[in-house]
Amino acid sequence: VQLQASGGGLVRPGGSLRLSCAASGFNLDRYAVAWFRQAPGKEREGVACISARDGRTYYADAVKGRFTISADKAENTVYLQVNSPKPEDTAVYYCATEHYTPYCSSSWYILLPYQVWGQGTLVTVSS
């Protein structure tokens, strides 16, 4: 059971970027997947979550309206579309799954329950 995050890089403020999280060893239509990020010197924080069963999405207030999480079941991949990024969005982005439930919990942003983590992909927002 693995997650592979990719797609990070340098992006200008106001630009766009799409991060990918490819799953192997399990089907994403069975488990919810979340994106987290960790900026230098800060704690890891939840960014977004997508439920596998009904496709419902949840976002941190800091990214609501700018980021979009989606899933392609045929590709067994979850995406994070990053639009209008700001310098404060600079961080290593991780995808993760609890590998337990198809639904995002009401506390999806808490790290502890997540058992499977991708390796992280760096997003740098700078002009």
Side-chain angles (χ1 to χ4, degrees), residues 32-33 49-52 56-58 101-108 114:
V33 174
C49 186
I50 185 166
S51 292
R56 291 188 67 177
T57 57
Y58 305 82
T101 172
Y103 299 106
C104 299
S105 72
S106 58
S107 57
W108 61 268
Y114 289 88

Side-chain angles (χ1 to χ4, degrees), residues 1-5 21-24 26 28 33-34 95-97 116-119:
V1 177
Q2 288 186 328
L3 294 173
Q4 180 78 26
C21 176
S24 60
F26 69 100
L28 284 177
V33 174
C95 54
T97 180
V116 181
W117 289 82
Q119 84 287 5

Side-chain angles (χ1 to χ4, degrees), residues 112-127:
L112 187 59
Y114 289 88
Q115 300 181 35
V116 181
W117 289 82
Q119 84 287 5
T121 185
L122 176 62
V123 174
T124 302
V125 184
S126 175
S127 56

Side-chain angles (χ1 to χ4, degrees), residues 42-64:
K42 295 188 176 181
E43 294 186 350
R44 195 170 298 189
E45 62 178 4
V47 175
C49 186
I50 185 166
S51 292
R53 192 62 53 82
D54 55 15
R56 291 188 67 177
T57 57
Y58 305 82
Y59 297 93
D61 288 343
V63 306
K64 202 171 293 182

Side-chain angles (χ1 to χ4, degrees), residues 6-27:
S6 62
L10 176 64
V11 60
R12 295 181 183 276
S16 64
L17 196 68
R18 190 177 75 164
L19 307 181
S20 300
C21 176
S24 60
F26 69 100
N27 289 326

